[in-house]
Amino acid sequence: MTPYIADFLEYCRGPASDIYFQRAADTLAAAGLDPVVTMECFADRDGLLFGMRDALDLLRRSLAGEGEVWALDDGSPIAAREVVMRVRAPYSRFGRLETALLGMLASCSGWATAAREVVDAAGGRPVISFGARHVHPLVGPVMEHAAVVGGCAGCATPLGAQRAGLAAPSGTMPHAMILVFGDTVRAALAFDAHMPDDVLRIVLVDTFKDEAEESLRVAKAMGERLLGVRLDTPWERGRVTIELVKEVRARLDLAGHRGVGIFVSGGLDAERVRQFVAAGAPVDSFGVGMAISAAPPIGFTADIKEVDGKPRTKRGRIPGVAAAPRLRRVV
Amino acid sequence: MTPYIADFLEYCRGPASDIYFQRAADTLAAAGLDPVVTMECFADRDGLLFGMRDALDLLRRSLAGEGEVWALDDGSPIAAREVVMRVRAPYSRFGRLETALLGMLASCSGWATAAREVVDAAGGRPVISFGARHVHPLVGPVMEHAAVVGGCAGCATPLGAQRAGLAAPSGTMPHAMILVFGDTVRAALAFDAHMPDDVLRIVLVDTFKDEAEESLRVAKAMGERLLGVRLDTPWERGRVTIELVKEVRARLDLAGHRGVGIFVSGGLDAERVRQFVAAGAPVDSFGVGMAISAAPPIGFTADIKEVDGKPRTKRGRIPGVAAAPRLRRVV
Amino acid sequence: MTPYIADFLEYCRGPASDIYFQRAADTLAAAGLDPVVTMECFADRDGLLFGMRDALDLLRRSLAGEGEVWALDDGSPIAAREVVMRVRAPYSRFGRLETALLGMLASCSGWATAAREVVDAAGGRPVISFGARHVHPLVGPVMEHAAVVGGCAGCATPLGAQRAGLAAPSGTMPHAMILVFGDTVRAALAFDAHMPDDVLRIVLVDTFKDEAEESLRVAKAMGERLLGVRLDTPWERGRVTIELVKEVRARLDLAGHRGVGIFVSGGLDAERVRQFVAAGAPVDSFGVGMAISAAPPIGFTADIKEVDGKPRTKRGRIPGVAAAPRLRRVV
Amino acid sequence: MTPYIADFLEYCRGPASDIYFQRAADTLAAAGLDPVVTMECFADRDGLLFGMRDALDLLRRSLAGEGEVWALDDGSPIAAREVVMRVRAPYSRFGRLETALLGMLASCSGWATAAREVVDAAGGRPVISFGARHVHPLVGPVMEHAAVVGGCAGCATPLGAQRAGLAAPSGTMPHAMILVFGDTVRAALAFDAHMPDDVLRIVLVDTFKDEAEESLRVAKAMGERLLGVRLDTPWERGRVTIELVKEVRARLDLAGHRGVGIFVSGGLDAERVRQFVAAGAPVDSFGVGMAISAAPPIGFTADIKEVDGKPRTKRGRIPGVAAAPRLRRVV
Amino acid sequence: MTPYIADFLEYCRGPASDIYFQRAADTLAAAGLDPVVTMECFADRDGLLFGMRDALDLLRRSLAGEGEVWALDDGSPIAAREVVMRVRAPYSRFGRLETALLGMLASCSGWATAAREVVDAAGGRPVISFGARHVHPLVGPVMEHAAVVGGCAGCATPLGAQRAGLAAPSGTMPHAMILVFGDTVRAALAFDAHMPDDVLRIVLVDTFKDEAEESLRVAKAMGERLLGVRLDTPWERGRVTIELVKEVRARLDLAGHRGVGIFVSGGLDAERVRQFVAAGAPVDSFGVGMAISAAPPIGFTADIKEVDGKPRTKRGRIPGVAAAPRLRRVV
Amino acid sequence: MTPYIADFLEYCRGPASDIYFQRAADTLAAAGLDPVVTMECFADRDGLLFGMRDALDLLRRSLAGEGEVWALDDGSPIAAREVVMRVRAPYSRFGRLETALLGMLASCSGWATAAREVVDAAGGRPVISFGARHVHPLVGPVMEHAAVVGGCAGCATPLGAQRAGLAAPSGTMPHAMILVFGDTVRAALAFDAHMPDDVLRIVLVDTFKDEAEESLRVAKAMGERLLGVRLDTPWERGRVTIELVKEVRARLDLAGHRGVGIFVSGGLDAERVRQFVAAGAPVDSFGVGMAISAAPPIGFTADIKEVDGKPRTKRGRIPGVAAAPRLRRVV
């Protein structure tokens, strides 16, 4: 459960819930109505489901032993309009949670779905999620967890890695550190000298000099201790191209540094990753940012389908529970 | 300042920060380097700035009296690549905050920018943000605050409204409540009977019956107490059309209910809002969801431009501080 | 033969014929020329041939025993530029009929071709032609006959049905009748009470109320006597959607009215019919108007290919009769 | 009034009327209902109104002195959804005429609208309608009348010309006549010898030889008696081009035949006519076929708006009579 | 070797060479540097190689016995970036030839590649290159040689034919000659009377009269001596169409001239040739101009890949010789 | 006149002329026909005229005192189908020159027209033509002359510069020279040491290192002697970008090298040049290759318009001389 909100259930039921759910609750209570209601939840487009475990935790605490819940597992591929969760319980037990439940699924599934697309494009090469900086820090680690569920091999923040069950967060070195040192080789040697052994020695090589030249300088200075170089050419210099990767690979090989890997980042999305892979560019892993972190949420909708056991729903929807054989009883 | 994280500064400097900033900090410390560094921040596309006040709060506490900061105000229109914040301080004082600072600006400016576009399209008619359900509840109220900065007249959650300085959140009634009552008129009368006087009497009229028929039923039942009807026709029935609004208006007028307003929602974005306005549809206010809440973040970048007073930056960028006459000294 | 013109042959040879054919006839007569001429007729695009039987009736009467004629049958698929009719006779015997012969084939084949496209799209579900109101009443029944040749299962006017050899015209009830009654159920019950037994009990359900609600009201009121409902939602309400059909079906089934069929109409063309069928919408039959009745004619051309047995034709065409193995001698 | 149907009113009320109007009439009669109904008629797109005079004749005879009618005049430009006719009378007096009234307006306005577009494109040069051969002979002359209302200076059939109030139909000579003669000059001389003086001497010059060569041969042979040549180059030879017209003009002028006009036909539509005019091609008049005769009808709709003086209409429409200040009382 | 420049090697090394190669030579000489350099040459797009034999002649004379050269043969299909020539020799021996070597390959391969595309489109029918008039006469015969290498069966100038090893150039007769005679038949008979027997009797038939008519006149006048007609209809008359070819063929056959061939020219490119072939137009051969002669050159690049046996190249390229198994040692 | 062909007139009249002009000449001579013919020449698209002076030289020598010639001047903008040259003389005097005359105008005007487009895009910044390597060396200098007529400030070969009347050819240094030296600074110093003073000191800075870094190294090493740097980044590194130019400018300025210019080359065309200029990139001059040298020729046509003073021309053209008030009598 999200650890950094004191009483998350209260938060979701109250200040973070659409006010009209509170008003509905008050009106129904005043009218003495609290029927058992069946509500179903579905997405408006295909995707990869995530956020369900947190949603169910919340719901379970709110139901406090009453009612039944069926759901799909996090990580399931889902189809547009497929039922992903069904709740049958007295309405007062869960009505005010709708904003929070939908919101968790929407954000998390949006990120996981985008990650899956990039990971599929990478065809087996590891993809690391580096986009925490593009989302509010309150959800940065959540986004990273979603990226890992979507198939990413790593993510950047300690909390994200912890949530995702990874041994450690991933990271190389920022341009800022190299700029402070004033020279890539000097920065690389200091990094190597002071970092614990379990930190990967991957050096960023586009800060001051041509990437190919800098790669050779770093490889020569660090020798066998160098695990890889990171190419992150800025768009002002045309971003990393397929040909640059091939050339750096060739020049490293010519100089005898066949063991040095190449890590590519900078404005990558699924389409560009696909092009690198299709062209046979010798990339060892990809770092991806906004293609995952800026992915739009997937819209989720919650519909009442039965009231007191009778099919009832609003215009535009089919009354009664929908066929949903993949659902599993979870509460 | 975000109220629901115990020690937000610590959170942003540690578990929610990209790990490589921590590693850079450790390496620099071990190497005994802590120069005064000038860092500048800019967006990758035009937009409306938001998130700056929270970012500056964080930064101010982290600098603890050292260094200088210049910035633009929240709510400023900004151009792509325009400097929106400049920090000059010992690097150890703020380096680890980069993930959080950029993330706050990115998410918040993305939402505010999208809201502004919808609000502009509405040409003076009030727009209410109803999209909290499409984002993780941790940032739902933040998103709503951004929407209000972008020009929205209201938002749905109590915390969002409070953050944005509004008297109260906005909301009508959910389909769920009407479904539980089983009849729109019955639900409307109960709502009217039990809600405090300051709650607007706006009734949702598309749950069971044709919107025009239901509008007349509700208007007849509630008389002068009815402030307005909400049209939210689902996409399965073709969504709310310009003609539906005109027809409901005409039928209400024919029946003598000229004072009943019409509130439109359901899949609206700037383009559709523009069409309603251009066609002269008699809409009194618009409710907008994903067009604001699912807006992509605006990418922000932080570049070191000077080290110890000397121009220095990475390849692809111009060394030295950029001309930025609109910046104001804030720390 | 078209029954409602007193002397149709005279009409076609005279007042309804392009004047230059009369002038050509006069000039040739004055010059003492009346060779045996071979004329061939072809279409400018692929299609379904119709109008030939009427054309041949006219031609047969005009030839009065002289000459020979070959033709394809009504209902044949034809290719662009394929010969569909060949006449070999003294030119004075048929020259003035060109306008009428081409015109019959053009209009009739245009309608039949469009009908065939819609019928193919419907994949076996019956299609009824309801477009008489979009063409001049002089040709309304002709258009309907063409629609039936193109595969339609029914048409709207008595004369159209009679020409097409159908037992009876098709029709449900107009909005006008329901409006006069002021209530759909009342109208339906009166219709049922007063119509002969062979009139199908299909009730139009979009006049006053939501289609789903009205369907249930009518089904409840008429019970087993109700054969089906007609959905004809106006474009101002988004026309009939695939989802509406599915919902009405589901609500009727839930209420035990599995035997009530669904008939869909309103702005349908081949493309929209194809979408309904592809989406598995439970439509029992389709009503189609302008997609058939407003179809453009197919341009037909008549070329002289031989004069007195010698190949002769104008620039741009191949002299001599064309290969046309499918032609059948008819006169 | 259409002269060639014995009892046109009876035809329109019975065999040519959608059967469901008859059924509605029978049901209403059996139910003893015959309220005064107000019906309004409008088009689904902008256009030029035609068919109204015939429609009003029919209606007037059917009303037999009862009720009121307002309408726009034939030849009026109309806007989409503008009311073009309003009838207020006992429903039994006109209900069964709906198919015929709408059909007359639909076909006729479709043709007139298309003609107007071509005529506008021609920028003052006369346009002659030659498309009778593309429509059923029952409506060929009606189409031609519409074309003249749309601005055409002439049409091809005697009955069309008579209906349109023209002194005579227009026509040159068919390729067939020239083919029978076997030589254009011979045909032209025979035509000139045997035709009355009021027939224009315009000779078709593309049957056997190059158009420029043939124009000079004919001009030489006929001298001052030649009024013009008609260029109708078939599409197999690239149709008439702008350059061909300029060249024929130049060659005629060089040979001293400045008084011989050039008449262009063959696959012309508004766009191609516009190109000729824009390029300054020396065309004296245009002959147009399918661009007018194959024009789709304009869909007209008739809606009941009041029953017994009370606003009433179906879903999707505004109850009560619409503002229509251009309407004129005609019955 | 190009025969019409007195000292072509000197010309290419001096006045026709980019001045900076001379300056580089002077600088290197002054600095006492003349290493053995390996240079590789490649194209920037796929194509058909031509110009290599002339390039190698030049190079061989310049190397004067020193160094080694590998190359592909003229007429080889080549891929973008494939090595087509490799030179290893003291740089002073060939550096100044770069402009000329690349230029020969660029122009010649561009023309040959375009010719190949047209020839492929013609599917076995002979294609004659007639575009000498679109390029400077200094390279007209070179272009024609390239066209023949690309698959053309003939070309127009004597020098082009000689270079390409053809027995004779190809040509029919110009419009100018027919215009001087004033009549096509008269011109054809004179041509037949005065030309040697080995000149093909192909008569141009679009100068004065319709092509079909003129073809018959010429065929009748020349009888068995006529080998073929050339259709070259100008664009002002719609160019040669597929239908024109079919019609001329049919009219010739009807008149018994089955042995007379049809040669088509005028604005043809690969796409139009493909259409003629696909439509089964009975064309016996095609004459093509700008589609070949105006083809853009293929850009060739020469890169140094080794200096004194060590891999060395500029940024963006892979150091060391590339894999190029198809290369053959030629010097 | 092209100096490097021994007898250029004979070459153009014989081996480089389409054979059918020779055959026409022989046939006409045998038939005893040599009328005075008026021929006009025009282009098939708008452009800039070049090649006329050489064409007129050739023609003047061929006419040998007979006949008259009118023409437009080299460098004139011309419109499609505007007459650019008119010859009136006995046909035998110039008929065989048609291939050469048209070819000179076609190639030369094609290059000049393309150059003009690039020069216009550059908005006053000098453009140097560097594309000799993309065309056959026989026409390389001719192409460069055309480029200068089109507005280029310089070109690469000595002969091109001489033909164009420039003081000297333009050039910096090839990558090859730098590669042989093995270091840009070393190469630059040697170049500076050994070149005469009138050679511009512009150093190519993308061979080994990042362009910005190398620019600073070279500027530091050469000081005031450095006139400029050339950026020619290969496409594998994203070509020269607008931002690279701005950055190099800024870094040079920061280091005090405000006087060092920036020369940009590499795959430039009019569109890319326009973007640099529009973005305010501080480019001092542009080097352009294929955008000029690979430009397609402009098709020119020569038509006979009079024979012995009488208007006569082929089908598709207007007989008689055309209005051409800009023509000037030149022979």
Side-chain angles (χ1 to χ4, degrees), chain E residues 3-62:
Chain E
Y4 40 92
I5 291 279
D7 185 341
F8 192 59
L9 175 59
E10 207 37 57
Y11 170 83
C12 288
R13 266 205 291 235
S17 172
D18 285 359
I19 188 65
Y20 76 171
F21 290 119
Q22 182 62 52
R23 291 180 185 157
D26 293 349
T27 300
L28 289 167
L33 287 175
D34 191 16
V36 168
V37 155
T38 306
M39 186 181 82
E40 291 180 344
C41 220
F42 59 88
D44 62 6
R45 55 180 167 102
D46 294 357
L48 191 73
L49 184 67
F50 186 54
M52 184 56 86
R53 207 186 53 182
D54 283 0
L56 292 178
D57 282 354
L58 203 61
L59 191 53
R60 200 174 279 119
R61 285 200 282 142
S62 188

Side-chain angles (χ1 to χ4, degrees), chain D residues 208-213 235-238 241 243-244 247, chain E residues 208-213 235-238 241 243-244 247:
Chain D
F208 289 115
K209 290 168 170 292
D210 180 72
E211 300 86 343
E213 182 189 6
W235 69 266
E236 292 93 338
R237 297 292 174 91
T241 64
E243 291 74 23
L244 175 61
E247 181 191 340
Chain E
F208 289 116
K209 289 168 170 293
D210 180 71
E211 299 86 344
E213 182 190 6
W235 69 265
E236 293 93 338
R237 297 291 174 93
T241 63
E243 291 74 24
L244 174 61
E247 180 190 340

